[in-house]
Amino acid sequence: MKISNQLSKHFILVGLIILKSTPESFSQVITRVLSPEDKIENYIPWYNPDEETPVVNAPFVDVEAVLLEDQQEGRLIPRVSINQETNISSDEWHVIQRGNFSIWNIALASENAKSMSVRFENTYLPEDAMMFIYNRESRFIVGPISSDNFINGAFRSDYVSGSIIEVSIFVPGYIEPNITISSYDYGIVGSTSFTGTFGVSDDCNINVACGEGSGWECQINSVCRILTDEGGPCSASLVNNDCCDLTPFLLTADHCVDGDLGSYLFIFNWQTPECENGDSAPTQWITYLGAQVSSNWEDTDFSLLELIQDIRPEDGISFSGWDRRDIIPDEVTLIHHPRGDVKKISFDENPAIAPNDVQYGGINPFFIPADHSYFSIFNEVGTADFGIFESGSSGCGWFNQEQRIVGTMIGGNLPLMRNYGELAEDSIYHGNGNGTPDSRLRDWLGASTNPNTMDCMEHPFIQGPEVLCTDPQTFTLMNNMPCAKTVTWRVEPANLFASPSSGNGVTASLWGNNTSSGPATLIYTLSAEGCNDAEVGYDLFVGRPCTFELHSFPTEICVGEQGETFLNLFEDCLGNYSSIEWDFYGAISGYGYDNKGRYAGITTGYGYVCVTVTNDCGSKEVCDRILVKDCGGGFGFRNSSSKSGAAKFKADVFPNPANEFIEIACSGYVPGTRIAASLISTDGKVVRELEEYSQNFKVDMADLPSGLYVLQLNTDGVIYHEKIVKL
């Protein structure tokens, strides 16, 4: 039986990636919330909904005690979670060894948690291993996560809604990983916290999807939500430098930066596509892990961070521009995450004014030097023409009427601050800081040409086919950066191409050879005097799919036993495929759909499951052999009785293939003998049962799905089988 399906291409992680000259390249991780119609196994190829994962109960978390301590210490950033130590080593995982691969599973439960995030330390994942983190009920899925996402053996996941978090790791071959879950984050609910829902900020705040956000798309796409290592939300903007070299600088508030920056989560695209909150929560967003401080100064409460992970073109993230001129803006727009909510936009058309005394109930939580002036755009505390700033807005950029950042938010709805917004006169460069590169911005954002202004820049990307055959195809660098650049390109590995492997300019003409196939990367290098090179890469596949693996379990089964097989969709050799076809031969029968198949043993001997993957250049078939054994019991095309009547009993089944019913005519039947009839699907499940005391009877199949079935007849210990095809 052959089943062919046309597939969408969202499974394959092939596309645009940004490359930099660093020893390691860490990639971002996607978080999804599945719709009720979607299935977890569409994203986790080895997932089995019937398979239970052993649960480890986490230590008790005293939420009230922690919040009381926060209040006594005057914590500035409201808490969204509590970190709790736990030491789960490799020995505690449930390991399923399945022939040529293994699955490592564990679940961590924490009573009353509203969401959870897990942290790994001293962890080693094999190069081709793949990990997912998820919750079955809330249908949150984080991943795929590979060894590239671990930084010095450490990784922190995004938050998954619910009080239980499951981790599943696919490990090819017989290499054992070394895994340590050192702690987890217990998500809490409070008046100023956010843990996995949305719509918690004030009702007057406006989603960026509303009409007020029109024309601000570039700036909106530069803003992210920060979750600190201690579980607090802030806002930040990805900003450009005068070299346009794609360095991922983030501008935020200094009071948002405290603790282990390697465990900070920077979440982009956390926004709803609808103007009204309603029920339209975000369904997919992107999380980057870790940063380092480039410069900061407590006195003006700014911090410039650099993400450890590179920004990818396909993520739709922009670089905001800025304006360092000593010009007070006539109007100010802010794009932020108040209380950690989905992205909002606020606006005030009043010119900024200088308050006489920046005091908060007699307490000034920030020391403000005498040589710096601060301005507020608010006539009423915290209120603009539309929108309001709250805790979580801290660190967001203040955009002038020319859509450039002129300052940063240093205060939200914090204790004794009551939404007071401030703007530094020396704007984006925060004056001369403390007179050193690590306390000012100009050395990082304007070190080359030191311009007064920079405009928002969308990430450049490469346009071209995802599969390259032997015919010449054109690839073009799009959205070239505003800074003057010399552009060259190269391909890696060069042996896959019959065309030139390097050249100049924004256009490359490429074609593959007839003898090789595999994944490749086209890399554009953008150079300018006094600047670091910027590289933009595009992943493509050259030729037809190359050799990949099927993962079948078990590879030895009994007659009547069922098994599963899947194609690892993250394998490099698949290419950007257009279809998958499944075949089942010999002693097994089965069906396949997308990346997964199921089979059952129908007679003794060898069976074969084969899959054919096709892309624009051709096809590749790979097969796996399954041994079917007679284990006694089950079903098979054999006589299971030594009685003398066994050889005489026969059954004719017609029509076959069938549509609405099949009719069975028995010969060698002893009148009055009971016949137990069963109809069995290829996954081993009995879908129809009946008792008959006649040599002629019918079995209704009208309501059954099309496919292959096995009719089993048992009369006085004599077992007979017949394959039935339902149309």
Side-chain angles (χ1 to χ4, degrees):
M1 178 176 59
K2 178 174 285 191
I3 302 160
S4 174
N5 338 284
Q6 298 300 315
L7 302 176
S8 62
K9 300 179 182 179
H10 71 277
F11 289 114
I12 296 299
L13 300 182
V14 174
L16 310 168
I17 46 177
I18 181 69
L19 304 173
K20 291 184 71 175
S21 299
T22 56
E24 296 181 90
S25 178
F26 304 109
S27 57
Q28 45 73 13
V29 176
I30 297 174
T31 301
R32 296 178 175 89
V33 183
L34 304 187
S35 67
E37 298 78 22
D38 211 345
K39 295 181 179 180
I40 295 177
E41 49 263 46
N42 288 341
Y43 301 89
I44 308 178
W46 57 89
Y47 174 79
N48 185 346
D50 299 325
E51 201 167 67
E52 294 186 3
T53 300
V55 177
V56 176
N57 291 312
F60 172 74
V61 178
D62 192 340
V63 177
E64 292 185 3
V66 173
L67 295 181
L68 179 61
E69 184 178 351
D70 287 347
Q71 184 178 359
Q72 292 171 344
E73 294 179 353
R75 178 184 169 99
L76 293 177
I77 303 175
R79 182 182 293 278
V80 302
S81 64
I82 299 170
N83 184 252
Q84 176 68 52
E85 290 187 2
T86 183
N87 187 21
I88 301 175
S89 65
S90 300
D91 296 337
E92 299 179 67
W93 289 66
H94 179 60
V95 182
I96 305 171
Q97 190 67 49
R98 291 174 168 169
N100 59 353
F101 69 98
S102 60
I103 302 296
W104 292 60
N105 292 325
I106 203 164
L108 182 65
S110 188
E111 186 177 2
N112 296 326
K114 303 303 179 183
S115 64
M116 296 177 67
S117 168
V118 289
R119 305 192 192 206
F120 298 82
E121 290 184 1
N122 302 319
T123 292
Y124 161 75
L125 286 185
E127 183 178 354
D128 296 328
M130 198 66 64
M131 179 169 72
F132 284 87
I133 300 170
Y134 60 96
N135 179 287
R136 301 188 189 208
E137 293 185 2
S138 67
R139 303 176 66 75
F140 269 59
I141 298 181
V142 178
I145 303 158
S146 69
S147 59
D148 289 340
N149 298 111
F150 282 75
I151 302 171
N152 298 322
F155 175 77
R156 179 190 177 189
S157 78
D158 194 2
Y159 286 83
V160 171
S161 181
S163 61
I164 186 168
I165 195 165
E166 296 189 48
V167 185
S168 183
I169 307 176
F170 168 81
V171 182
Y174 296 93
I175 303 174
E176 289 193 4
N178 182 41
I179 312 166
T180 301
I181 298 179
S182 57
S183 66
Y184 76 100
D185 295 281
Y186 176 103
I188 66 175
V189 170
S191 60
T192 59
S193 64
F194 171 81
T195 57
T197 58
F198 76 111
V200 296
S201 64
D202 196 282
D203 290 340
C204 67
N205 282 310
I206 297 175
N207 290 335
V208 294
C210 296
E212 290 82 356
S214 179
W216 289 89
E217 289 79 10
C218 185
Q219 292 77 16
I220 288 170
N221 291 336
S222 73
V223 174
C224 74
R225 178 170 64 113
I226 298 177
L227 291 179
T228 70
D229 70 321
E230 294 185 351
C234 278
S235 300
S237 302
L238 192 71
V239 291
N240 207 356
N241 61 28
D242 67 332
C243 281
C244 303
D245 62 7
L246 305 178
T247 301
F249 284 129
L250 271 176
L251 185 63
T252 188
D254 185 59
H255 74 263
C256 294
V257 180
D258 184 24
D260 180 14
L261 280 175
S263 295
Y264 272 45
L265 301 178
F266 302 92
I267 301 169
F268 289 86
N269 300 339
W270 175 249
Q271 57 206 57
T272 172
E274 304 294 335
C275 180
E276 300 295 329
N277 274 336
D279 295 325
S280 182
T283 57
Q284 182 170 309
W285 54 93
I286 299 164
T287 301
Y288 289 79
L289 174 65
Q292 56 191 10
V293 175
S294 296
S295 66
N296 65 322
W297 197 25
E298 181 182 6
D299 292 354
T300 53
D301 194 31
F302 90 91
S303 188
L304 184 71
L305 310 179
E306 183 178 349
L307 295 177
I308 293 176
Q309 297 168 301
D310 297 320
I311 300 297
R312 307 193 321 164
E314 66 268 35
D315 294 339
I317 299 172
S318 303
F319 295 78
S320 269
W322 39 264
D323 191 333
R324 73 181 186 95
R325 296 172 298 175
D326 188 11
I327 300 175
I328 300 173
D330 294 331
E331 56 188 44
V332 173
T333 299
L334 288 94
I335 304 167
H336 55 128
H337 288 279
R339 294 176 66 186
D341 201 351
V342 293
K343 200 175 299 180
K344 308 288 184 178
I345 187 167
S346 301
F347 175 80
D348 200 307
E349 64 180 3
N350 299 306
I353 57 174
N356 294 326
D357 188 14
V358 183
Q359 297 290 318
Y360 307 89
I363 299 176
N364 185 356
F366 295 104
F367 171 70
I368 299 177
D371 60 346
H372 283 77
S373 298
Y374 281 76
F375 297 86
S376 173
I377 61 171
F378 303 116
N379 295 322
E380 298 179 7
V381 174
T383 304
D385 288 339
F386 57 81
I388 190 171
F389 304 136
E390 304 177 75
S391 56
S393 301
S394 294
C396 73
W398 294 51
F399 294 88
N400 64 11
Q401 60 271 22
E402 295 173 312
Q403 299 186 320
R404 304 183 184 118
I405 294 178
V406 293
T408 50
M409 179 81 173
I410 71 166
N413 189 15
L414 305 178
L416 304 176
M417 295 187 68
R418 305 304 301 166
N419 305 316
Y420 204 90
E422 295 183 328
L423 178 65
E425 181 184 21
D426 288 314
S427 65
I428 189 68
Y429 276 6
H430 283 261
N432 195 36
N434 198 30
T436 60
D438 61 1
S439 65
R440 63 191 181 197
L441 293 173
R442 68 164 57 100
D443 302 87
W444 308 91
L445 301 184
S448 177
T449 58
N450 202 28
N452 284 323
T453 63
M454 286 293 297
D455 289 327
C456 189
M457 182 188 82
E458 295 180 351
H459 203 297
F461 63 96
I462 298 169
Q463 189 174 74
E466 295 174 325
V467 177
L468 181 66
C469 304
T470 55
D471 295 329
Q473 299 290 335
T474 298
F475 297 81
T476 305
L477 177 67
M478 308 296 292
N479 189 29
N480 197 3
M481 294 176 272
C483 307
K485 299 285 180 181
T486 299
V487 180
T488 59
W489 59 265
R490 69 184 188 277
V491 291
E492 297 176 354
N495 67 290
L496 295 179
F497 298 84
S499 59
S501 58
S502 62
N504 300 310
V506 298
T507 301
S509 180
L510 302 174
W511 58 93
N513 60 45
N514 288 316
T515 58
S516 304
S517 64
T521 305
L522 168 62
I523 304 167
Y524 279 87
T525 301
L526 298 90
S527 305
E529 186 177 354
C531 297
N532 294 325
D533 288 349
E535 291 191 338
V536 182
Y538 182 73
D539 280 357
L540 64 149
F541 197 88
V542 181
R544 66 186 182 94
C546 50
T547 301
F548 48 87
E549 287 188 342
L550 270 178
H551 303 282
S552 303
F553 54 95
T555 54
E556 292 188 7
I557 61 176
C558 300
V559 174
E561 188 179 358
Q562 63 177 350
E564 291 187 358
T565 183
F566 70 86
L567 178 63
N568 188 358
L569 294 176
F570 310 107
E571 291 181 306
D572 289 339
C573 268
L574 293 181
N576 193 30
Y577 61 86
S578 56
S579 69
I580 292 178
E581 295 180 353
W582 292 89
D583 289 291
F584 299 86
Y585 301 106
I588 64 171
S589 179
Y591 64 92
Y593 184 75
D594 287 352
N595 64 303
K596 205 164 188 176
R598 305 191 80 174
Y599 55 87
I602 56 175
T603 187
T604 57
Y606 283 105
Y608 298 87
V609 52
C610 298
V611 64
T612 302
V613 178
T614 302
N615 67 13
D616 292 343
C617 301
S619 301
K620 176 70 176 182
E621 182 184 60
V622 171
C623 297
D624 208 0
R625 189 171 71 169
I626 311 297
L627 175 61
V628 183
K629 300 182 293 184
D630 182 358
C631 304
F635 61 85
F637 293 100
R638 67 190 191 281
N639 184 346
S640 63
S641 174
S642 60
K643 294 185 178 182
S644 60
K648 298 179 180 179
F649 180 83
K650 294 183 180 179
D652 293 323
V653 182
F654 56 92
N656 189 9
N659 193 349
E660 297 183 355
F661 64 90
I662 55 173
E663 187 168 350
I664 295 96
C666 302
S667 60
Y669 169 73
V670 178
T673 304
R674 172 182 173 270
I675 298 177
S678 302
L679 203 60
I680 305 169
S681 63
T682 53
D683 58 5
K685 295 180 180 179
V686 177
V687 297
R688 189 80 79 240
E689 286 184 294
L690 65 155
E691 288 186 4
E692 289 292 337
Y693 294 85
S694 172
Q695 67 181 31
N696 293 86
F697 58 92
K698 293 182 179 180
V699 177
D700 185 14
M701 300 185 67
D703 61 335
L704 296 178
S706 299
L708 181 66
Y709 297 85
V710 173
L711 173 68
Q712 174 178 284
L713 304 178
N714 186 335
T715 175
D716 196 22
V718 178
I719 299 176
Y720 179 84
H721 292 90
E722 181 76 26
K723 290 183 180 180
I724 308 295
V725 176
K726 168 65 165 59
L727 299 176

